[in-house]
Amino acid sequence: MKFGILGSGMVATTIGAKLIELGHEVMLGTRSPDKLRDWAAQVGGKAQIGSFEAAARHGDWLVNATSGSGALEALKLAGEANLNGKILIDISNPLDFSQGMPPTLFVCNTDSLGEQIQRTYPQAKVVKTFNTLTAALMVDPQSLSEGEHTLFICGDDPDAKAQVIEFLSSEMGWRDVIDLGDISSARATEMLLPLWIRLYMKFGTPRVQFKIVR
Ligand SMILES: NC(=O)c1ccc[n+]([C@@H]2O[C@H](COP(=O)([O-])OP(=O)(O)OC[C@H]3O[C@@H](n4cnc5c(N)ncnc54)[C@H](OP(=O)(O)O)[C@@H]3O)[C@@H](O)[C@H]2O)c1
């Protein structure tokens, strides 16, 4: 399958490398292609790199792995026509680092970044997931020695969500995926970040995860 990944940071490169390993055609989108040169060499020259617009045009499925503060700007550069009708997996978090650590949320409670993206691009099929765990665990959940842990997912389009859940299960090994409902559940999963960041600070590792026991 063709994936367009918007982003050049840890999430984009980790997911990009995994999708290439799985045999998919991947293009990463960035404003500065040069900064991905070393990474592209590491993945054996199999990654395509382009603008946000080129990556969005390339992908049948899209991944938003841009910073929360830059997400809407990046999607604007990607171009609405390249988003329409496509699954857009949104991993971004509305983190405001302007006052230092820990960051605050620049939208919360009655709205979320996931909803802002869905409202701005009503014809994109926004599926929010992966935003509550570190990149390495997104693509290799079984590597956490504590056993099964939980991935949250939400979005307005049931068919898009079902396709993403199937993909995450069959290609990335996710077993405990909880569908929280429509995209307004992004308020809840984005508001987990202040807790996740405190756990990261306490344990000194990003390899901490939520596990829902029922
Ligand atoms: N790091 C993790 O393990 C992790 C885990 C869960 C969720 N997340 C979330 O995933 C997202 C990506 O995280 P990350 O750590 O990989 O990278 P990041 O440093 O948060 O974001 C880097 C990306 O944001 C883009 N960007 C920043 N400002 C922009 C602007 N004004 N306009 C357009 N694009 C802009 C950059 O574009 P250029 O390439 O053009 O510079 C770059 O591609 C974030 O929202 C983060 O909260 C991260």
Side-chain angles (χ1 to χ4, degrees):
M1 191 154 61
K2 288 185 172 178
F3 281 89
I5 302 179
L6 309 181
S8 60
M10 193 200 289
V11 173
T13 53
T14 303
I15 291 181
K18 177 70 176 188
L19 292 173
I20 287 167
E21 187 189 310
L22 291 168
H24 297 289
E25 283 179 53
V26 176
M27 184 183 287
L28 264 61
T30 173
R31 296 164 299 176
S32 318
D34 274 358
K35 70 179 171 193
L36 285 168
R37 201 177 293 145
D38 289 349
W39 173 79
Q42 268 172 36
V43 294
K46 289 183 184 157
Q48 300 175 62
I49 293 163
S51 62
F52 286 126
E53 200 273 336
R57 196 164 5 96
H58 168 86
D60 297 322
W61 282 21
L62 305 178
V63 176
N64 174 34
T66 59
S67 70
S69 57
L72 286 169
E73 212 170 315
L75 289 165
K76 190 173 175 188
L77 292 170
E80 184 165 12
N82 296 316
L83 310 178
N84 286 348
K86 295 183 183 174
I87 288 177
L88 172 59
I89 298 173
D90 174 37
I91 307 178
S92 62
N93 281 307
L95 300 179
D96 176 355
F97 290 96
S98 62
Q99 306 301 313
M101 279 292 279
T104 55
L105 300 174
F106 63 74
V107 57
C108 62
N109 288 326
T110 54
D111 198 4
S112 63
L113 186 54
E115 287 166 277
Q116 290 183 347
I117 292 171
Q118 184 63 85
R119 275 202 304 276
T120 308
Y121 299 103
Q123 290 182 59
K125 299 170 185 176
V126 178
V127 176
K128 184 110 201 174
T129 191
F130 273 167
N131 64 306
T132 56
L133 71 163
T134 195
L137 291 178
M138 296 173 192
V139 301
D140 191 9
Q142 304 303 322
S143 70
L144 202 59
S145 56
E146 298 301 317
E148 295 304 326
H149 45 96
T150 307
L151 182 66
F152 302 107
I153 194 166
C154 64
D156 289 344
D157 187 312
D159 181 55
K161 263 188 309 194
Q163 287 185 59
V164 173
I165 291 170
E166 164 57 25
F167 181 84
L168 296 178
S169 152
S170 61
E171 304 228 19
M172 295 207 179
W174 276 99
R175 297 197 185 122
D176 187 22
V177 182
I178 299 183
D179 180 353
L180 291 170
D182 68 25
I183 193 65
S184 70
S185 290
R187 297 174 194 179
T189 62
E190 292 173 8
M191 285 194 287
L192 279 177
L193 261 292
L195 173 58
W196 186 89
I197 288 164
R198 296 284 173 165
L199 292 167
Y200 172 43
M201 291 161 74
K202 175 174 173 65
F203 293 111
T205 171
R207 294 179 65 84
V208 288
Q209 237 295 52
F210 296 108
K211 174 176 181 155
I212 303 303
V213 178
R214 55 283 210 199

